[in-house]
Amino acid sequence: MKYYRGKNYVGLLYISPWIAGFLLFKLYPFVMSFIYSFTRFSILDKPVFIGLENYIYMFTKDKLFFPALKATLAYVFMTVPMKISFALFVAMLLNMKLRAINIFRTAYYLPSIFGGSVAVSVLWRFLFMKEGIVNKFLGLFGIKAVDWLGNPDIALFTVSLLAVWQFGSSMVIFLAGLKQIPNELYEAAIVDGASRIRKFFSITLPMISPVMFFNLVMQTINAFQEFTGPYVITGGGPMNATYVYSILVYDNAFRYFRMGYSSALSWVLFLLIMIFTALLFRSSSYWTYYEDGGK
């Protein structure tokens, strides 16, 4: 017993940095933000308990709350399907047996490493500005310059393209799922005379549906929390077309120093993400296939 107890202490010692980091930088801020959401707190002053006043103000008087919520939902429903579809398409291309295929796999993953940085967001802004490279390229074909970032109707779509460009992580997961599909299934389908489209919908999609579900959940959560791209590229404009929820939280916390109200906004976002995640888990039993028959 002393031997096993000593082994446990050694294990706890090895994971103690993670435990300390979790308690200090994850659990403590999580709990405190919930407490602060019921207070008037501006960092410089002590928090004052005000009950549900922050939440009432949010839904009744904050003129930016519903526009930010609308922009965020539009961003999520726009970005996630495009990103997952493109990641799956590229993963299927990289699953082919070609020479130097590992080089292509590495190259396609690089955007996911650099895509979330401020520098790339600034580059994206210069690419799509009215005198940017994209419009100059379109001008070669006689196409009139498009105001990608100044038009409220297409600004959010332009910003979402940056997130779609960061498809590398989803692509790698899809590629791992494609590698696990038994080749015998495709051989049997060929014998039956199935077309490529038929094989895709009858074999590939059902077999990678758990991977699809995982990517869908993760990308939905990430999309709801997107901040760097919209903030750096457009600053939330034009006319609040790209003013997503995370910018609203940031502005109230670090621009207006309304930490209590910002905490309340964060908890509403947390509940919103939980609702969408629960809906995805609820729906997964209807379209996710597992080899062991589980749901």
Side-chain angles (χ1 to χ4, degrees):
M1 290 297 294
K2 290 183 179 180
Y3 172 78
Y4 287 112
R5 191 179 297 112
K7 297 282 286 186
N8 290 335
Y9 289 147
V10 171
L12 290 173
L13 180 63
Y14 275 111
I15 66 172
S16 59
W18 181 90
I19 294 176
F22 173 77
L23 294 175
L24 185 61
F25 299 110
K26 295 287 186 180
L27 185 60
Y28 176 75
F30 185 80
V31 174
M32 291 306 298
S33 68
F34 181 73
I35 297 174
Y36 288 147
S37 69
F38 299 101
T39 66
R40 184 183 295 110
F41 181 37
S42 62
I43 300 180
L44 302 177
D45 301 322
K46 292 183 178 180
V48 178
F49 181 78
I50 57 174
L52 297 175
E53 186 176 317
N54 285 328
Y55 294 94
I56 296 173
Y57 175 85
M58 184 190 312
F59 288 99
T60 59
K61 297 182 180 180
D62 192 344
K63 295 181 180 179
L64 291 175
F65 174 74
F66 287 106
L69 187 61
K70 179 182 176 182
T72 303
L73 291 174
Y75 180 86
V76 171
F77 286 110
M78 188 185 306
T79 302
V80 175
M82 289 195 299
K83 188 173 184 178
I84 289 181
S85 300
F86 192 60
L88 178 57
F89 173 73
V90 176
M92 294 186 66
L93 293 179
L94 297 181
N95 194 39
M96 298 179 180
K97 295 180 180 180
L98 302 173
R99 294 182 61 182
I101 192 64
N102 290 331
I103 297 176
F104 288 101
R105 291 171 181 170
T106 304
Y108 277 110
Y109 184 71
L110 288 178
S112 289
I113 300 176
F114 304 113
S117 67
V118 174
V120 173
S121 298
V122 173
L123 175 63
W124 206 261
R125 184 175 64 188
F126 280 102
L127 284 174
F128 284 93
M129 62 191 304
K130 204 161 187 180
E131 299 81 17
I133 296 176
V134 174
N135 278 331
K136 288 183 178 179
F137 176 77
L138 294 176
L140 298 176
F141 302 94
I143 302 176
K144 187 178 179 180
V146 180
D147 193 4
W148 297 98
L149 302 177
N151 187 342
D153 296 328
I154 61 174
L156 189 63
F157 171 76
T158 305
V159 173
S160 70
L161 291 178
L162 176 59
V164 176
W165 183 63
Q166 304 168 39
F167 64 91
S169 58
S170 298
M171 179 266 294
V172 170
I173 297 173
F174 274 131
L175 185 59
L178 291 171
K179 292 290 184 183
Q180 300 301 315
I181 301 177
N183 196 48
E184 293 80 4
L185 297 177
Y186 292 110
E187 293 175 352
I190 293 173
V191 172
D192 291 338
S195 63
R196 289 186 176 182
I197 297 178
R198 181 68 175 177
K199 287 188 289 184
F200 175 75
F201 285 101
S202 299
I203 298 176
T204 305
L205 276 184
M207 294 300 293
I208 65 168
S209 56
V211 177
M212 178 78 73
F213 171 66
F214 175 81
N215 276 332
L216 184 60
V217 171
M218 297 304 298
Q219 296 307 320
T220 300
I221 294 174
N222 291 335
F224 269 108
Q225 302 177 83
E226 181 61 34
F227 172 77
T228 304
Y231 185 78
V232 175
I233 298 174
T234 61
M239 298 175 62
N240 295 328
T242 61
Y243 195 80
V244 294
Y245 200 95
S246 56
I247 299 180
L248 179 64
V249 174
Y250 174 86
D251 282 347
N252 278 280
F254 301 106
R255 188 177 178 182
Y256 308 123
F257 299 106
R258 301 169 62 188
M259 282 293 177
Y261 183 61
S262 179
S263 297
L265 288 169
S266 299
W267 271 90
V268 171
L269 178 60
F270 172 73
L271 293 176
L272 189 63
I273 293 174
M274 290 291 292
I275 290 172
F276 273 83
T277 304
L279 290 175
L280 290 174
F281 271 91
R282 181 69 175 175
S283 67
S284 65
S285 60
Y286 297 101
W287 57 273
T288 306
Y289 166 78
Y290 294 97
E291 291 187 48
D292 60 0
K295 296 291 186 180

